[in-house]
Amino acid sequence: PDLGRRFAERKRCADLECSMLMCRGKAMRDFKGPDCRFVNFKKGEAVYVYYKLIGESTELWAGSVGSDFGYFPKDLLEINHNYSNEELELPTDVSLTWGF
């Protein structure tokens, strides 16, 4: 499928808006992403995960380091706390709103 600028068609989130934290981990090594869609971090920094891509790009998760948000390779994260065991599967191109 043509994903355009998307990395995957589906993602796993803790809630319908993908705004709740799924887990937190520690960066196992430095990472500098190839473009502005990625979040950069240093070894030992805390990384907060908001959603996990599934399908074509299962190696990428999305999260934050400080006030920066972006994608990063999941293999660079050592999970040390799970916030939610619930995982909802949602399309990556749909943003649900409640009419507010």
Side-chain angles (χ1 to χ4, degrees), residues 27-81:
M28 296 190 302
R29 68 178 174 88
D30 292 357
F31 174 71
K32 180 157 176 57
D35 60 44
C36 64
R37 295 175 292 175
F38 292 82
V39 65
N40 300 322
F41 48 76
K42 301 276 187 201
K43 181 178 179 176
E45 281 190 300
V47 180
Y48 296 87
V49 179
Y50 286 89
Y51 62 87
K52 304 170 181 179
L53 295 182
I54 55 177
E56 297 290 318
S57 291
T58 57
E59 73 279 356
L60 292 178
W61 287 357
S64 65
V65 176
S67 61
D68 297 328
F69 184 88
Y71 293 103
F72 61 90
K74 69 176 185 179
D75 296 340
L76 300 182
L77 196 64
E78 178 184 307
I79 302 298
N80 52 28
H81 185 78

